[in-house]
Amino acid sequence: MKELLMESAYFGMVMTLLTYQIALWIKKKVKLTIANPLLMSVLMIVVFLLAFGIDYDVYNAGAKHISVFLTPTTVALAIPLYRQLHLLKKYPKAILGGITAGVLTAMVSIFLMSLAFGLNHEQYITLLPKSITTAIAMGISEKMGGIVTITVVSVCITGVLGNVAAEAFCKLFKIQEPIAKGLAIGTSAHALGTSKAMEIGKVEGAMSSLSIVVAGIMTVVAVSVFGMLI
């Protein structure tokens, strides 16, 4: 079976799209927060590859084609932001203040946990950019002397957890203001979180999109400062 799949250039792409559609169907049926389509599709793919002894390289040979859509999808995030641009003009201090608070929270939490677990400088730097989009996080990690591959993993885990738990946390802490929801999700869980914010509402999606850009810029500056603390 492995040899047959290796001959199929699009096996990984078809499998990814199929498992996601199955996960969406399950989500509609059970209607539980934990039944997150992104998380379930990832788990289904992992189980399938392990069960049939298929190498990741075989799967990725086809799945990598999906990444072609990453750039246009990211650019498209500017559309909901443009439609809600009046909110940025109306509440600039509150919005920038919220994003700043989110970035500082991420920096301080990683710093304190690194001290608690005795991480060295390399490990500490590796985790600092976990809450921003992958492209920026990789550049920061590489330049500052972190382990880029682990940075990518930490970014992915952060995004998945944010996507899964964002709505539940907003309900738990009774956060009802759309702008606050969007800023919190985008600042803490980058693009994967933004996809959830867009499901919640248009304003949430727009503010989350804005947070990705601004939080990324702020994190570049913040890492250069916090990076010297360990």
Side-chain angles (χ1 to χ4, degrees):
M1 182 177 181
K2 180 178 177 180
E3 288 73 16
L4 179 63
L5 293 176
M6 288 181 69
E7 296 178 0
S8 177
Y10 298 99
F11 157 69
M13 182 171 65
V14 172
M15 182 182 178
T16 301
L17 297 176
L18 179 61
T19 53
Y20 189 73
Q21 287 302 313
I22 294 173
L24 285 175
W25 179 81
I26 295 175
K27 172 67 175 179
K28 291 180 181 179
K29 290 294 182 181
V30 300
K31 297 179 180 180
L32 296 174
T33 302
I34 192 62
N36 181 271
L38 181 61
L39 178 61
M40 287 194 297
S41 60
V42 169
L43 293 176
M44 283 190 281
I45 291 172
V46 171
V47 171
F48 184 87
L49 296 181
L50 291 175
F52 290 94
I54 302 173
D55 294 335
Y56 172 75
D57 290 338
V58 175
Y59 161 76
N60 192 48
K64 66 182 180 181
H65 297 297
I66 297 179
S67 63
V68 173
F69 300 101
L70 181 60
T71 299
T73 300
T74 303
V75 174
L77 293 175
I79 297 176
L81 173 58
Y82 175 76
R83 291 174 177 172
Q84 303 296 331
L85 194 60
H86 63 282
L87 294 175
L88 177 58
K89 295 178 180 178
K90 189 175 182 179
Y91 307 108
K93 294 181 180 179
I95 291 173
L96 293 177
I99 298 174
T100 301
V103 171
L104 290 177
T105 298
M107 296 291 105
V108 173
S109 63
I110 291 298
F111 171 67
L112 294 177
M113 286 189 287
S114 296
L115 289 178
F117 290 98
L119 301 185
N120 59 34
H121 176 75
E122 182 183 43
Q123 296 164 337
Y124 169 59
I125 289 296
T126 297
L127 297 177
L128 270 182
K130 69 174 183 60
S131 295
I132 59 176
T133 188
T134 307
I136 302 177
M138 290 175 63
I140 293 175
S141 181
E142 183 178 10
K143 185 176 181 179
M144 298 292 291
I147 306 171
V148 178
T149 52
I150 297 181
T151 297
V152 172
V153 172
S154 67
V155 170
C156 291
I157 292 175
T158 300
V160 170
L161 289 177
N163 187 288
V164 172
E167 195 168 8
F169 269 89
C170 287
K171 291 180 180 179
L172 177 63
F173 292 101
K174 298 181 180 180
I175 303 174
Q176 299 178 345
E177 171 57 49
I179 295 177
K181 287 182 182 180
L183 294 177
I185 295 172
T187 303
S188 60
H190 50 83
L192 292 179
T194 299
S195 65
K196 170 57 67 176
M198 288 183 171
E199 292 178 17
I200 297 174
K202 294 181 179 179
V203 175
E204 289 88 339
M207 292 299 100
S208 188
S209 301
L210 171 66
S211 298
I212 294 177
V213 179
V214 179
I217 296 172
M218 288 184 177
T219 299
V220 171
V221 177
V223 168
S224 64
V225 176
F226 279 84
M228 298 185 293
L229 299 180
I230 294 181

mmCIF file of all heavy atoms in Angstrom, residues 108-130:
data_model
loop_
_atom_site.group_PDB
_atom_site.id
_atom_site.type_symbol
_atom_site.label_atom_id
_atom_site.label_comp_id
_atom_site.label_asym_id
_atom_site.label_seq_id
_atom_site.Cartn_x
_atom_site.Cartn_y
_atom_site.Cartn_z
ATOM 1 N N VAL A 108 6.073 37.556 28.965
ATOM 2 C CA VAL A 108 6.282 37.373 30.405
ATOM 3 C C VAL A 108 5.998 35.935 30.820
ATOM 4 O O VAL A 108 6.733 35.348 31.636
ATOM 5 C CB VAL A 108 5.390 38.343 31.216
ATOM 6 C CG1 VAL A 108 5.466 38.032 32.712
ATOM 7 C CG2 VAL A 108 5.822 39.788 30.967
ATOM 8 N N SER A 109 4.944 35.333 30.261
ATOM 9 C CA SER A 109 4.606 33.957 30.632
ATOM 10 C C SER A 109 5.702 32.977 30.222
ATOM 11 O O SER A 109 6.062 32.077 30.989
ATOM 12 C CB SER A 109 3.270 33.550 30.007
ATOM 13 O OG SER A 109 3.339 33.567 28.592
ATOM 14 N N ILE A 110 6.270 33.158 29.029
ATOM 15 C CA ILE A 110 7.360 32.287 28.576
ATOM 16 C C ILE A 110 8.598 32.508 29.426
ATOM 17 O O ILE A 110 9.304 31.554 29.793
ATOM 18 C CB ILE A 110 7.687 32.555 27.092
ATOM 19 C CG1 ILE A 110 6.539 32.075 26.211
ATOM 20 C CG2 ILE A 110 8.982 31.848 26.685
ATOM 21 C CD1 ILE A 110 6.279 30.594 26.287
ATOM 22 N N PHE A 111 8.871 33.748 29.779
ATOM 23 C CA PHE A 111 10.020 34.063 30.625
ATOM 24 C C PHE A 111 9.899 33.377 31.989
ATOM 25 O O PHE A 111 10.840 32.737 32.461
ATOM 26 C CB PHE A 111 10.127 35.577 30.804
ATOM 27 C CG PHE A 111 11.139 36.004 31.839
ATOM 28 C CD1 PHE A 111 12.500 35.803 31.627
ATOM 29 C CD2 PHE A 111 10.735 36.590 33.027
ATOM 30 C CE1 PHE A 111 13.437 36.183 32.582
ATOM 31 C CE2 PHE A 111 11.659 36.978 33.982
ATOM 32 C CZ PHE A 111 13.009 36.773 33.766
ATOM 33 N N LEU A 112 8.738 33.495 32.619
ATOM 34 C CA LEU A 112 8.537 32.911 33.943
ATOM 35 C C LEU A 112 8.575 31.379 33.904
ATOM 36 O O LEU A 112 9.167 30.736 34.783
ATOM 37 C CB LEU A 112 7.201 33.384 34.525
ATOM 38 C CG LEU A 112 7.104 34.879 34.849
ATOM 39 C CD1 LEU A 112 5.705 35.228 35.346
ATOM 40 C CD2 LEU A 112 8.160 35.280 35.868
ATOM 41 N N MET A 113 7.972 30.801 32.870
ATOM 42 C CA MET A 113 7.990 29.336 32.765
ATOM 43 C C MET A 113 9.384 28.812 32.438
ATOM 44 O O MET A 113 9.763 27.723 32.880
ATOM 45 C CB MET A 113 6.975 28.866 31.712
ATOM 46 C CG MET A 113 5.533 28.973 32.183
ATOM 47 S SD MET A 113 4.353 28.173 31.061
ATOM 48 C CE MET A 113 4.376 29.346 29.702
ATOM 49 N N SER A 114 10.132 29.566 31.673
ATOM 50 C CA SER A 114 11.505 29.169 31.365
ATOM 51 C C SER A 114 12.358 29.158 32.624
ATOM 52 O O SER A 114 13.199 28.278 32.830
ATOM 53 C CB SER A 114 12.113 30.125 30.330
ATOM 54 O OG SER A 114 11.429 30.042 29.099
ATOM 55 N N LEU A 115 12.149 30.139 33.498
ATOM 56 C CA LEU A 115 12.846 30.166 34.783
ATOM 57 C C LEU A 115 12.416 28.989 35.654
ATOM 58 O O LEU A 115 13.250 28.325 36.288
ATOM 59 C CB LEU A 115 12.555 31.480 35.517
ATOM 60 C CG LEU A 115 13.180 32.760 34.951
ATOM 61 C CD1 LEU A 115 12.750 33.962 35.783
ATOM 62 C CD2 LEU A 115 14.705 32.665 34.906
ATOM 63 N N ALA A 116 11.110 28.724 35.671
ATOM 64 C CA ALA A 116 10.574 27.650 36.508
ATOM 65 C C ALA A 116 11.094 26.278 36.082
ATOM 66 O O ALA A 116 11.364 25.418 36.930
ATOM 67 C CB ALA A 116 9.053 27.668 36.463
ATOM 68 N N PHE A 117 11.237 26.065 34.771
ATOM 69 C CA PHE A 117 11.673 24.761 34.263
ATOM 70 C C PHE A 117 13.167 24.722 33.943
ATOM 71 O O PHE A 117 13.666 23.719 33.431
ATOM 72 C CB PHE A 117 10.868 24.383 33.021
ATOM 73 C CG PHE A 117 9.430 24.048 33.310
ATOM 74 C CD1 PHE A 117 8.427 24.993 33.133
ATOM 75 C CD2 PHE A 117 9.074 22.794 33.788
ATOM 76 C CE1 PHE A 117 7.105 24.701 33.410
ATOM 77 C CE2 PHE A 117 7.753 22.476 34.054
ATOM 78 C CZ PHE A 117 6.768 23.433 33.879
ATOM 79 N N GLY A 118 13.877 25.795 34.235
ATOM 80 C CA GLY A 118 15.320 25.809 34.053
ATOM 81 C C GLY A 118 15.781 25.711 32.613
ATOM 82 O O GLY A 118 16.798 25.065 32.324
ATOM 83 N N LEU A 119 15.075 26.354 31.697
ATOM 84 C CA LEU A 119 15.465 26.310 30.288
ATOM 85 C C LEU A 119 16.683 27.190 30.045
ATOM 86 O O LEU A 119 16.865 28.220 30.699
ATOM 87 C CB LEU A 119 14.309 26.788 29.404
ATOM 88 C CG LEU A 119 12.988 26.021 29.497
ATOM 89 C CD1 LEU A 119 12.015 26.556 28.456
ATOM 90 C CD2 LEU A 119 13.200 24.524 29.302
ATOM 91 N N ASN A 120 17.503 26.768 29.094
ATOM 92 C CA ASN A 120 18.668 27.584 28.747
ATOM 93 C C ASN A 120 18.270 28.649 27.726
ATOM 94 O O ASN A 120 17.114 28.709 27.286
ATOM 95 C CB ASN A 120 19.811 26.715 28.210
ATOM 96 C CG ASN A 120 19.412 25.917 26.974
ATOM 97 O OD1 ASN A 120 18.626 26.366 26.146
ATOM 98 N ND2 ASN A 120 19.946 24.708 26.860
ATOM 99 N N HIS A 121 19.225 29.474 27.314
ATOM 100 C CA HIS A 121 18.931 30.592 26.403
ATOM 101 C C HIS A 121 18.355 30.101 25.076
ATOM 102 O O HIS A 121 17.386 30.668 24.566
ATOM 103 C CB HIS A 121 20.212 31.389 26.152
ATOM 104 C CG HIS A 121 20.034 32.503 25.156
ATOM 105 N ND1 HIS A 121 19.383 33.680 25.458
ATOM 106 C CD2 HIS A 121 20.407 32.593 23.843
ATOM 107 C CE1 HIS A 121 19.366 34.462 24.393
ATOM 108 N NE2 HIS A 121 19.978 33.832 23.405
ATOM 109 N N GLU A 122 18.942 29.063 24.509
ATOM 110 C CA GLU A 122 18.490 28.546 23.216
ATOM 111 C C GLU A 122 17.042 28.075 23.290
ATOM 112 O O GLU A 122 16.230 28.376 22.411
ATOM 113 C CB GLU A 122 19.397 27.390 22.770
ATOM 114 C CG GLU A 122 19.020 26.828 21.400
ATOM 115 C CD GLU A 122 19.887 25.637 21.018
ATOM 116 O OE1 GLU A 122 20.123 24.779 21.896
ATOM 117 O OE2 GLU A 122 20.321 25.555 19.861
ATOM 118 N N GLN A 123 16.711 27.323 24.332
ATOM 119 C CA GLN A 123 15.351 26.817 24.497
ATOM 120 C C GLN A 123 14.366 27.948 24.749
ATOM 121 O O GLN A 123 13.238 27.941 24.243
ATOM 122 C CB GLN A 123 15.319 25.803 25.646
ATOM 123 C CG GLN A 123 16.153 24.559 25.384
ATOM 124 C CD GLN A 123 16.421 23.757 26.644
ATOM 125 O OE1 GLN A 123 16.363 24.285 27.755
ATOM 126 N NE2 GLN A 123 16.706 22.477 26.486
ATOM 127 N N TYR A 124 14.799 28.916 25.526
ATOM 128 C CA TYR A 124 13.965 30.081 25.855
ATOM 129 C C TYR A 124 13.635 30.882 24.600
ATOM 130 O O TYR A 124 12.471 31.219 24.339
ATOM 131 C CB TYR A 124 14.721 30.928 26.880
ATOM 132 C CG TYR A 124 14.155 32.304 27.147
ATOM 133 C CD1 TYR A 124 12.859 32.471 27.618
ATOM 134 C CD2 TYR A 124 14.951 33.453 26.955
ATOM 135 C CE1 TYR A 124 12.350 33.742 27.884
ATOM 136 C CE2 TYR A 124 14.450 34.717 27.225
ATOM 137 C CZ TYR A 124 13.153 34.854 27.695
ATOM 138 O OH TYR A 124 12.653 36.105 27.964
ATOM 139 N N ILE A 125 14.627 31.174 23.794
ATOM 140 C CA ILE A 125 14.439 31.926 22.554
ATOM 141 C C ILE A 125 13.538 31.160 21.594
ATOM 142 O O ILE A 125 12.723 31.746 20.869
ATOM 143 C CB ILE A 125 15.799 32.219 21.883
ATOM 144 C CG1 ILE A 125 16.582 33.263 22.688
ATOM 145 C CG2 ILE A 125 15.604 32.714 20.450
ATOM 146 C CD1 ILE A 125 15.927 34.626 22.754
ATOM 147 N N THR A 126 13.685 29.848 21.588
ATOM 148 C CA THR A 126 12.885 29.008 20.704
ATOM 149 C C THR A 126 11.392 29.181 20.948
ATOM 150 O O THR A 126 10.589 29.186 20.002
ATOM 151 C CB THR A 126 13.265 27.525 20.909
ATOM 152 O OG1 THR A 126 14.631 27.333 20.541
ATOM 153 C CG2 THR A 126 12.384 26.608 20.059
ATOM 154 N N LEU A 127 11.006 29.353 22.209
ATOM 155 C CA LEU A 127 9.589 29.427 22.567
ATOM 156 C C LEU A 127 9.015 30.841 22.574
ATOM 157 O O LEU A 127 7.795 31.006 22.513
ATOM 158 C CB LEU A 127 9.382 28.797 23.951
ATOM 159 C CG LEU A 127 9.708 27.313 24.073
ATOM 160 C CD1 LEU A 127 9.526 26.850 25.513
ATOM 161 C CD2 LEU A 127 8.839 26.485 23.138
ATOM 162 N N LEU A 128 9.856 31.851 22.649
ATOM 163 C CA LEU A 128 9.365 33.236 22.759
ATOM 164 C C LEU A 128 8.381 33.643 21.649
ATOM 165 O O LEU A 128 7.370 34.287 21.940
ATOM 166 C CB LEU A 128 10.546 34.215 22.788
ATOM 167 C CG LEU A 128 11.126 34.559 24.156
ATOM 168 C CD1 LEU A 128 12.252 35.578 24.020
ATOM 169 C CD2 LEU A 128 10.047 35.109 25.090
ATOM 170 N N PRO A 129 8.631 33.298 20.375
ATOM 171 C CA PRO A 129 7.711 33.759 19.328
ATOM 172 C C PRO A 129 6.552 32.800 19.035
ATOM 173 O O PRO A 129 6.020 32.773 17.933
ATOM 174 C CB PRO A 129 8.627 33.895 18.109
ATOM 175 C CG PRO A 129 9.684 32.881 18.321
ATOM 176 C CD PRO A 129 9.835 32.683 19.800
ATOM 177 N N LYS A 130 6.131 32.000 20.005
ATOM 178 C CA LYS A 130 5.131 30.954 19.788
ATOM 179 C C LYS A 130 3.748 31.478 19.389
ATOM 180 O O LYS A 130 2.957 30.747 18.795
ATOM 181 C CB LYS A 130 4.972 30.104 21.049
ATOM 182 C CG LYS A 130 4.312 30.848 22.207
ATOM 183 C CD LYS A 130 4.028 29.971 23.382
ATOM 184 C CE LYS A 130 3.306 30.763 24.478
ATOM 185 N NZ LYS A 130 2.009 31.318 24.023
#
